[in-house]
Amino acid sequence: MVFRAQPDVPIFQGGQLKAAVGVAKAERDQHFFIYQSTVLNALEDVQNAIVSLNKSRARAASLAESVSGYRLAAKYSRDLLAAGESDLFDVLDADRSLYSAQEQLIQANADIATNYVSLNKALGGGWSGPIDVTVPRVEDGFVGPHLAMRKTGR
């Protein structure tokens, strides 16, 4: 009977097993830190999206109150013009202020929608690439004044 030494017997590996265990532990720790960093970044993205959404909502609420006040001021200005107590420039100035506030409110509502999308993305809503919000997807082709249509009882 001939005795053959097998190279994979632990006695003859001279510390290779301990080194392999050390490498495996280091790789485990490295993967854990990558995982922890990824989770913390995701939580930061969610928190930032929630803060932005809340700010946009508060701004829109404030602007809605402003629009209401400007609308009332424009009404009073028209009433004063009809009574002969004011001139057309005051009415035009009140209308300009109203339209400016309405435009800001529209932008604030668009910001709310954008922040909802950002929050959905941060929560894993299925987007894989960056979202370009600098270019609108839909553009209003009518560039003239937009007047609200009033319903009449006719």
Side-chain angles (χ1 to χ4, degrees):
M1 179 169 195
V2 178
F3 177 74
R4 287 188 234 159
Q6 297 185 4
D8 54 344
V9 174
I11 297 173
F12 299 116
Q13 291 185 349
Q16 289 179 348
L17 291 177
K18 286 184 181 181
V21 168
V23 168
K25 286 181 179 180
E27 287 177 352
R28 178 202 62 199
D29 292 344
Q30 180 183 11
H31 291 296
F32 173 74
F33 290 131
I34 290 172
Y35 169 77
Q36 187 177 26
S37 173
T38 302
V39 169
L40 290 175
N41 286 336
L43 289 174
E44 180 183 16
D45 290 346
V46 170
Q47 184 176 12
N48 289 341
I50 289 172
V51 167
S52 296
L53 182 61
N54 288 338
K55 284 182 180 179
S56 295
R57 284 180 173 170
R59 182 171 183 263
S62 174
L63 287 171
E65 289 180 24
S66 294
V67 166
S68 177
Y70 282 121
R71 187 173 287 124
L72 189 60
K75 178 192 175 304
Y76 289 153
S77 179
R78 282 189 208 93
D79 291 346
L80 287 173
L81 178 67
E85 298 293 324
S86 179
D87 60 1
L88 185 60
F89 290 114
D90 292 334
V91 174
L92 292 175
D93 189 41
D95 284 343
R96 181 180 50 81
S97 297
L98 172 62
Y99 297 148
S100 176
Q102 287 175 332
E103 182 180 8
Q104 291 176 8
L105 178 60
I106 289 168
Q107 183 59 48
N109 287 331
D111 291 343
I112 289 172
T114 301
N115 290 328
Y116 268 123
V117 171
S118 296
L119 178 60
N120 194 10
K121 180 183 176 192
L123 291 172
W127 286 273
S128 59
I131 298 173
D132 182 17
V133 294
T134 59
V135 180
R137 295 272 184 200
V138 177
E139 293 186 20
D140 188 3
F142 182 65
V143 294
H146 293 71
L147 301 175
M149 302 299 287
R150 293 186 181 181
K151 293 184 179 181
T152 58
R154 297 181 199 176

